[in-house]
Amino acid sequence: MKKILLLSDTHSYIDDQILKHAKAADEVWHAGDIGDLAVTEALKNAAPLRAVFGNIDDHEIRKEFPLNNRLSCEGVDVLITHIGGYPGRYSPAIREELKADPPKLFICGHSHILKVMMDKDLGLLHMNPGAAGKQGFQEYRTIIRFEIDAGKIHNMEVINLGRLGGGNE
């Protein structure tokens, strides 16, 4: 069993609240728009990290992390990218790969919109953790934690990090 912390769109922002959740995870997955390698260094100090670069990420981040990360975790085929869209509206850059060889779990960021939904046509679970950083239009900063065990995804929980303008609710 692996405990996963999923986040995206940090835009150079990391805080103790995020790191507290990262330290409780077996792995941290970052779905792009990291912003600064200091973010990934802090996350790596908390737990093993898997990440992809996003559209705002510079050449240093792009040298360290791929555009797409296809991996297997505890029997679950996972594909992580930054700009991916969602079921029925996938990004053209990833659409054909999803149709040709759908993963069990498809993760992306970019939109800053928290979304977890099944794609019944492709038989995959889509996750976008929203945005953990303080830049964007989202009302709340969010991350997702879940467990993967023996090919199944369990105990998924959205963690609200508070309003974008400050203050928890």
Side-chain angles (χ1 to χ4, degrees):
M1 181 193 63
K2 292 242 178 163
K3 295 177 184 177
I4 308 297
L5 180 69
L6 174 62
L7 68 156
S8 185
D9 296 279
T10 48
H11 291 263
S12 303
Y13 182 78
I14 191 82
D15 64 14
D16 289 340
Q17 191 176 8
I18 294 169
L19 292 173
K20 174 186 80 166
H21 292 291
K23 287 176 185 167
D26 295 317
E27 290 186 8
V28 175
W29 297 353
H30 194 304
D33 277 4
I34 295 161
D36 190 306
L37 285 173
V39 169
T40 53
E41 288 306 310
L43 291 170
K44 285 179 193 176
N45 287 331
L49 174 69
R50 299 178 191 254
V52 297
F53 70 78
N55 57 294
I56 68 130
D57 292 322
D58 67 15
H59 68 285
E60 292 296 321
I61 292 170
R62 290 170 190 239
K63 279 193 322 194
E64 185 163 344
F65 300 105
L67 173 64
N68 300 323
N69 193 345
R70 187 99 185 222
L71 59 113
S72 180
C73 180
E74 299 290 316
V76 173
D77 182 22
V78 180
L79 176 59
I80 306 171
T81 194
H82 183 60
I83 301 176
Y86 55 91
R89 296 186 55 102
Y90 292 118
S91 167
I94 200 78
R95 184 181 306 133
E96 292 310 311
E97 182 176 349
L98 290 174
K99 287 181 182 177
D101 186 17
K104 184 169 183 174
L105 175 57
F106 176 57
I107 294 169
C108 63
H110 186 62
S111 70
H112 292 218
I113 299 170
L114 172 70
K115 191 174 286 203
V116 177
M117 61 190 294
M118 284 298 302
D119 182 329
K120 293 177 184 147
D121 293 335
L122 297 180
L124 63 81
L125 177 62
H126 168 271
M127 283 189 205
N128 183 324
K134 290 195 166 189
Q135 291 185 10
F137 62 87
Q138 72 277 8
E139 187 174 353
Y140 293 94
R141 299 172 45 238
T142 54
I143 57 180
I144 298 175
R145 73 174 155 210
F146 57 96
E147 297 171 359
I148 300 179
D149 188 25
K152 297 195 177 175
I153 299 164
H154 300 282
N155 300 324
M156 188 181 315
E157 179 183 4
V158 172
I159 299 168
N160 180 344
L161 299 171
R163 284 190 175 273
L164 185 60
N168 288 334
E169 288 205 7

